[in-house]
């Protein structure tokens, strides 16, 4: 009985681990596709942070982030006007190198990881 419970717990933990890895991969893939499509120049991506979530971004702050993203000189044809924030946002930080500088951008996703809805 105890042994079967241990197998169930190990199975559930393994499933959660694989799900988290899948979300991390999906987030990186969305960011790489976005950069490839919208970057004005080729960016050398050096690293990604772990995918995380936040509930501390208010609607007005989110709107300001979207408006600033549309004006970012590094990217072209960016329009987030139809994207809305949910109570919990997922985000990942992309680090990249430009000349000799190490810079970063934070990308925000909807809770389903179906699209990038803002970046800063």
């Amino acid at each position: 009985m105890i042994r079967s419970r241990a197998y169930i717990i190990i199975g559930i933990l393994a499933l959660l681990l694989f799900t988290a890895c899948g979300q991390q991969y999906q987030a990186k893939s969305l960011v790489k596709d976005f950069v490839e499509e919208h970057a004005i120049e080729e960016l050398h991506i050096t690293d990604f942070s772990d995918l995380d979530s936040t509930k501390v971004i208010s609607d007005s702050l989110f709107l300001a982030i979207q408006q600033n993203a549309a004006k970012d000189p590094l990217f072209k044809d960016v329009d987030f006007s139809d994207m809305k924030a949910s109570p919990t946002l997922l985000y990942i930080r992309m680090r990249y190198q430009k000349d000799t500088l190490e810079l970063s951008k934070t990308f925000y996703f909807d809770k389903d990881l179906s699209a990038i809805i803002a970046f800063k």
Side-chain angles (χ1 to χ4, degrees):
M1 183 71 143
I2 293 175
R3 203 176 266 192
S4 64
R5 285 185 184 168
Y7 288 129
I8 291 172
I9 291 172
I10 290 171
I12 290 172
L13 290 175
L15 182 62
L16 289 174
L17 177 65
F18 289 128
T19 301
C21 291
Q23 287 183 324
Q24 179 80 15
Y25 177 80
Q26 185 176 358
K28 286 180 183 180
S29 179
L30 283 171
V31 170
K32 287 177 183 178
D33 291 345
F34 179 87
V35 168
E36 187 175 304
E37 182 179 341
H38 296 285
I40 290 178
E41 59 189 71
E42 187 174 337
L43 298 180
H44 177 66
I45 298 172
T46 58
D47 193 21
F48 285 96
S49 69
D50 289 337
L51 184 66
D52 206 349
S53 64
T54 182
K55 293 182 180 183
V56 296
I57 296 181
S58 66
D59 289 339
S60 59
L61 178 58
F62 184 76
L63 184 60
I65 290 171
Q66 284 182 321
Q67 290 171 346
N68 286 338
K71 299 174 191 172
D72 191 315
L74 191 59
F75 297 102
K76 64 179 184 219
D77 304 327
V78 176
D79 181 22
F80 294 121
S81 60
D82 59 336
M83 302 294 189
K84 303 296 180 217
S86 59
T88 300
L89 297 174
L90 299 174
Y91 69 93
I92 194 169
R93 179 164 300 184
M94 173 193 79
R95 291 177 188 83
Y96 65 98
Q97 192 167 1
K98 185 175 179 183
D99 299 326
T100 59
L101 298 174
E102 185 80 20
L103 304 167
S104 68
K105 295 280 183 192
T106 303
F107 291 85
Y108 295 91
F109 308 92
D110 57 4
K111 65 180 179 174
D112 300 323
L113 272 177
S114 61
I116 294 173
I117 57 175
F119 71 88
K120 66 174 184 174

